[in-house]
Amino acid sequence: MAGECILIVDDSQPSARLFETALEVEGYAVRVCPNATAALAIAAQTRLALALLDLRLPDMTGAELARLLRGMPHLASTPMIGVTAGDGPEEAELARASGMSDVLQKPISTVSLRRLVAALTQH
């Protein structure tokens, strides 16, 4: 549905901008936050179609953030995708255990990102 809101939480400005551009082209409304604290403030007031969470944030892990977001009743079933530059399987396992739908490895193909987001939001 056009205009659905996606929250991007990534402290890497180039990555966040790439994700934002790729998803705005598809008609999503995008909110970008550089850390979990800002993301929680926005998420508390916003209905989200999806959250894209960096697994290594400056103030907490993406898995911790996902658990906090899941605790908000209006986001309990919101799809969440973890994003990581790490190459070990541990982060992906923690992300999935926190309720994330999938984990993408940086660098991310914008085509793959758009396909996954469309599948999870049924867009």
Side-chain angles (χ1 to χ4, degrees):
M1 188 179 288
E4 289 178 309
C5 188
I6 293 181
L7 178 65
I8 296 171
V9 188
D10 199 319
D11 60 322
S12 166
Q13 189 175 31
S15 291
R17 190 167 309 254
L18 175 72
F19 304 149
E20 179 182 25
T21 302
L23 295 172
E24 283 180 340
V25 166
E26 296 298 314
Y28 295 101
V30 178
R31 300 288 304 265
V32 178
C33 298
N35 57 53
T37 303
L40 288 167
I42 288 173
Q45 311 263 335
T46 309
R47 184 167 183 81
L48 301 173
L50 184 134
L52 188 67
L53 311 175
D54 186 354
L55 297 183
R56 295 181 185 177
L57 295 166
D59 50 352
M60 71 177 68
T61 69
E64 291 168 325
L65 176 57
R67 283 188 198 93
L68 292 172
L69 294 173
R70 287 266 176 253
M72 296 180 185
H74 69 288
L75 299 178
S77 62
T78 300
M80 296 182 197
I81 301 170
V83 177
T84 183
D87 57 2
E90 301 83 20
E91 275 189 326
E93 290 170 16
L94 285 172
R96 287 189 180 89
S98 72
M100 290 191 194
S101 306
D102 210 333
V103 177
L104 295 174
Q105 184 78 29
K106 290 181 183 179
I108 295 171
S109 153
T110 56
V111 172
S112 296
L113 174 64
R114 287 192 295 252
R115 279 189 196 135
L116 180 57
V117 168
L120 291 173
T121 62
Q122 317 242 333
H123 183 73

